[in-house]
Amino acid sequence: MSVTAVAGANWGDEGKGKMTDALAADASFVVRFQGGSNAGHTIINSLGKFALRILPSGVFYPGVTNVIGPGVALNLTDLFQELDALTARGISEPRLKVSDRAQIVLPIHKQFDELEEERLGDRRFGSTKSGIAPFYADKAAKLGIQVADLYDQKRLLERLEAALTAKNILLEHLYHKPRVNAQLIAAELGKQAERLRPYVCNTSELLLQAVRSGRPILVEGQLGALRDPDHGIYPFSTSSSTLAGYAAVGAGLPPHAITRIVAVTKAYSSSVGEGPLVSEIVGPAAEELRRRGGDSGEYGVNTGRPRRIGWFDAVATRYGCMLQGATEAALTNLDVLGYLDKIPVCTAYGINGSSTTQFPVSAIIGSAKPVLDELPGWKADISHIRKFDELPPHAQNYVLQIENLIEVPVRFISVGPDREQLIVR
Ligand code: GDP
């Protein structure tokens, strides 16, 4: 049995949580490999509605081992809050393993994220202010704290002092804020380390053994391909790779083990925060789609921010599927479009008088205008349908047109937020 990756083809919020929850039924392991608690997955199943930010989406299956890999930005406060929130709602304590090499998001990372967005003013990136960019900056600068460092007080203090030297100068002289003290942070981390201890292990060995013994593994990406720092809408990207290919690195898996890649895309576009969104719509049409979208409108799971809305963008999604190396696609939220007479789809970008289906670089994308084709709407509630052939012909046609445009077979069609509201082709 191979490793399956579930990854976003767009800007995030594509419905990966729902798809991972559905596919996790057949998995022994569900693994997070990048990002932190800066974005949320919404999961709705027979146990209720849940917003997960850091825990892998396999936590609702008692037989699944959930793994937080070395590539994750681990905020311990958020992790424990999420675990407590689950158990408070009667969910049994999930099986959880945390990599001893994962690095810790510190309160100072969050503080720097907030201070920097405030300093940038109009030039801000629309960060969720969870400390992710300062965290990955420290990791690249070799100033990060690994989980294993938490169990050696002397080393922890030395690592913290190294990480804080330059930050304290910036705090004092750039942001005009009080300095922070390494010993206080070490004491707080020491308490959290005790609670974390039972979960900590070498997750790469664990997963390698699982691969060797043929146990099914699901790796779940956070955000989407267009937020990838190398290939996405830089600098409105995130700070770790959002691509399935990175799962090998961030989870510690043999690259050849990842043989199935499900790219998740929405039947329309949505994006939280700043940055280019070529097929964006505004005004009453956007308001209506935002209100009808998702399980209770298109508002950020983590931040509550209204998501920006647009028509399906085949240029961005074909590119996103290509980057993910998608072997198949999952099209979510198809039910949401059931109110429209005609459904515009962005099939190309017009740039300086010519048309292209290739996703442009950030220096050019600002001048791109959407080329829209209209497809007929089906004007029906499809949320109860479980077979492709039973969808109204215009809904089938919408799926087939998208499949043609993105050049990846659409294997899953999601017609509602619940686990069961899924058509498998
Ligand atoms: P993720 O970060 O990719 O997991 O996506 P989010 O959870 O942030 O956003 C997806 C939203 O769409 C959530 O509100 C889901 O409950 C909802 N959702 C997922 N699939 C469907 C679907 O097929 N139809 C509807 N109406 N909502 C869906």
Side-chain angles (χ1 to χ4, degrees):
M1 181 75 196
S2 59
V3 180
T4 300
V6 178
N10 303 119
W11 302 265
D13 307 320
E14 297 95 344
K16 296 177 297 295
K18 172 189 164 152
M19 285 309 302
T20 311
D21 179 60
L23 294 172
D26 301 323
S28 297
F29 294 84
V30 177
V31 188
R32 278 282 307 267
F33 62 91
Q34 48 83 221
S37 41
N38 50 322
H41 286 323
T42 311
I43 293 177
I44 300 176
N45 53 35
S46 57
L47 305 167
K49 174 176 172 176
F50 303 88
L52 297 181
R53 296 188 299 155
I54 186 75
L55 283 172
S57 301
V59 291
F60 303 105
Y61 295 96
V64 168
T65 301
N66 296 277
V67 177
I68 292 182
V72 171
L74 179 58
N75 183 319
L76 292 173
T77 308
D78 290 349
L79 176 72
F80 297 143
Q81 262 176 15
E82 241 174 77
L83 280 171
D84 291 342
L86 282 189
T87 43
R89 288 178 63 184
I91 311 293
S92 48
E93 165 94 23
R95 282 197 211 176
L96 177 68
K97 296 289 175 197
V98 176
S99 165
D100 49 9
R101 290 174 191 271
Q103 296 195 14
I104 309 291
V105 180
L106 301 171
I108 184 88
H109 292 136
K110 199 164 169 343
Q111 190 185 1
F112 264 62
D113 206 352
E114 288 163 358
L115 290 170
E116 197 48 18
E117 285 282 279
E118 198 178 302
R119 188 183 72 83
L120 288 170
D122 288 349
R123 291 174 297 127
R124 68 183 176 272
F125 293 109
S127 163
T128 59
K129 300 179 189 163
S130 315
I132 297 301
F135 164 89
Y136 280 108
D138 267 4
K139 185 174 186 173
K142 295 165 275 190
L143 294 171
I145 309 288
Q146 290 187 321
V147 163
D149 297 335
L150 300 176
Y151 302 100
D152 178 341
Q153 274 294 312
K154 183 168 168 289
R155 180 178 165 85
L156 177 61
L157 207 53
E158 279 168 14
R159 299 286 307 153
L160 281 170
E161 270 160 6
L164 292 179
T165 311
K167 287 190 190 60
N168 271 329
I169 295 170
L170 289 174
L171 274 177
E172 205 172 350
H173 298 288
L174 178 66
Y175 301 119
H176 309 294
K177 299 284 176 201
R179 296 165 72 92
V180 295
N181 177 300
Q183 278 182 339
L184 290 181
I185 299 178
E188 186 53 35
L189 288 174
K191 281 186 233 156
Q192 292 184 316
E194 285 319 306
R195 182 163 178 195
L196 187 68
R197 199 187 282 275
Y199 305 116
V200 177
C201 74
N202 180 339
T203 54
S204 305
E205 283 287 350
L206 180 75
L207 292 176
L208 182 64
Q209 293 313 322
V211 169
R212 285 189 176 152
S213 54
R215 302 185 66 195
I217 299 172
L218 206 56
V219 294
E220 61 170 338
Q222 183 220 31
L223 296 169
L226 301 169
R227 300 283 184 201
D228 183 78
D230 290 309
H231 300 275
I233 49 172
Y234 188 86
F236 298 102
S237 39
T238 191
S239 305
S240 65
S241 177
T242 53
L243 303 182
Y246 187 74
V249 179
L253 282 163
H256 56 78
I258 306 171
T259 52
R260 185 180 177 205
I261 298 169
V262 181
V264 186
T265 181
K266 251 183 195 158
Y268 51 91
S269 298
S270 73
S271 169
V272 170
E274 315 291 325
L277 183 63
V278 175
S279 67
E280 182 166 18
I281 50 172
V282 291
E287 261 314 311
E288 171 136 45
L289 190 46
R290 181 177 298 116
R291 189 172 52 74
R292 290 172 175 271
D295 67 277
S296 51
E298 291 288 356
Y299 300 92
V301 175
N302 206 7
T303 57
R305 292 188 291 187
R307 293 176 181 150
R308 294 160 66 203
I309 296 289
W311 302 121
F312 184 82
D313 184 337
V315 178
T317 310
R318 178 184 159 276
Y319 180 67
C321 287
M322 177 182 96
L323 295 178
Q324 293 294 7
T327 55
E328 54 208 88
L331 185 68
T332 70
N333 283 270
L334 189 66
D335 54 302
V336 172
L337 300 179
Y339 70 101
L340 291 159
D341 291 319
K342 293 200 178 311
I343 311 174
V345 169
C346 172
T347 54
Y349 291 173
I351 301 173
N352 297 330
S354 57
S355 161
T356 180
T357 55
Q358 292 196 12
F359 194 77
V361 292
S362 299
I364 292 174
I365 196 167
S367 59
K369 300 276 176 282
V371 176
L372 297 173
D373 280 0
E374 274 188 345
L375 295 176
W378 47 92
K379 301 282 284 185
D381 177 9
I382 57 168
S383 59
H384 57 283
I385 295 177
R386 301 288 174 269
K387 291 199 174 109
F388 184 72
D389 296 345
E390 290 171 11
L391 283 172
H394 287 328
Q396 291 187 28
N397 177 56
Y398 189 81
V399 175
L400 296 176
Q401 294 293 332
I402 283 181
E403 181 173 76
N404 202 27
L405 288 163
I406 65 175
E407 299 171 4
V408 175
V410 175
R411 188 162 146 75
F412 300 98
I413 299 147
S414 174
V415 292
D418 280 18
R419 192 183 272 175
E420 292 74 30
Q421 291 177 301
L422 194 63
I423 297 172
V424 184
R425 265 175 89 209

